[in-house]
Amino acid sequence: MYRILVADGMNLDQIENLKELGFDVIDKFYDGEELGLMCQDVDALVIRSKNRITKEIIDKALEGNARLKLIIRSGVGLDNIDVKYATKRGVKVMNTPCASTRSVAELTIGQLFTIARYVNIANVTMRQGQWNKKNYIGTEVFGKTLGIIGLGRIGKEVAKMASAIGMKIIYYDILGEMKGYPRYKFCSFEEVLANADFLTIHIPYDPEKGYLITKKEFDMMKQGVYFINNARGALVCEHDLIDALDEGKIEAVAMDVYEEEPKINLELVNHPMVSPTPHIGASTVEAQDRISKEIVEMIVDYFHYDQQQIAL
Ligand code: 3PG
């Protein structure tokens, strides 16, 4: 019987489904060396963004009679897995890149309105007993320019919704101009920074490239730009972001991801012009449902599972 370790949760329905299909499922959070040890006795591992699958953990997992064949990242980002090393050691790494697209894009649109209308800070100050009606003169998003860095699945979904509410879309993508999107204007990275009223990033993090946005890039942006990061925290230098906020270069920021998670940078999250959320982009019933179903299919496919194996 194949054994699957679900180390950071999955829909319970689909865990039950796996069990009914004849898999032995361990549904418990493990991390670090303990995770490596646990992996010595499983065929597949399912993780989210919290676990770090380093070279050391892979080595630990493959000590002795190595059993681990498959690591599934329940979600999109593979930046927490040493994919190159896992592959080299014969462990296949898979993810579910499409399942959470709509959820992350909807969060982004929600944040556009949140920061344009100071919803976050108005919430906080009302709870403190203040009626600051005059302080929160926001801006409409209609007619404004939304700059998108990365017109992949999520970037495209954001663009579609933002243009439906009357925003102009400009974008930069490492792959160049996208065919089939004549209403979105392809620009250089620097042009997007310089012309966006609202700016959102939707690219993966590449440790070899490091930060995408530091003081240099903040300086190129429009005075008073609204900025959103739902991609990866390490793309943006938080120290330079706080300076840009304090200088008024950035009017407000919405962010779902951080340089160090789950450690909380209190200076940043307590800044009145920051609307922080704890990496909840993919945390919807629908996204998690799609992800869990996809994982079951992947496991079934990978192990060429058939009815006979139930009997083993
Ligand atoms: C992803 O890469 O899929 C998102 O960042 C969500 O990560 P999560 O599965 O930890 O919520």
Side-chain angles (χ1 to χ4, degrees), residues 31-40 56-57 60-61 63:
D31 205 8
E33 202 183 329
E34 205 184 4
L35 177 64
L37 267 174
M38 281 304 295
C39 286
Q40 291 178 2
E56 290 70 30
I57 295 199
K60 176 59 68 191
E63 270 173 17

Side-chain angles (χ1 to χ4, degrees), residues 7-24:
D8 193 11
M10 207 175 121
N11 270 11
L12 292 181
D13 286 359
Q14 295 309 322
I15 288 189
E16 281 314 306
N17 193 8
L18 276 175
K19 288 181 182 165
E20 275 166 28
L21 285 163
F23 291 95
D24 178 13

Side-chain angles (χ1 to χ4, degrees), residues 48-49 73-77 232 279 282:
R48 289 182 69 171
S49 59
R73 164 66 165 100
S74 153
V76 186
R232 278 295 177 268
H279 204 148

Side-chain angles (χ1 to χ4, degrees), residues 26 29 43 90 92 137 148 175 189 192 196 259 286 300 312:
I26 305 169
F29 184 81
D43 300 282
K92 188 172 173 66
I137 307 297
I148 302 178
L175 297 175
F189 176 62
V192 174
E259 276 195 58
E286 293 81 0
V300 167
L312 294 178

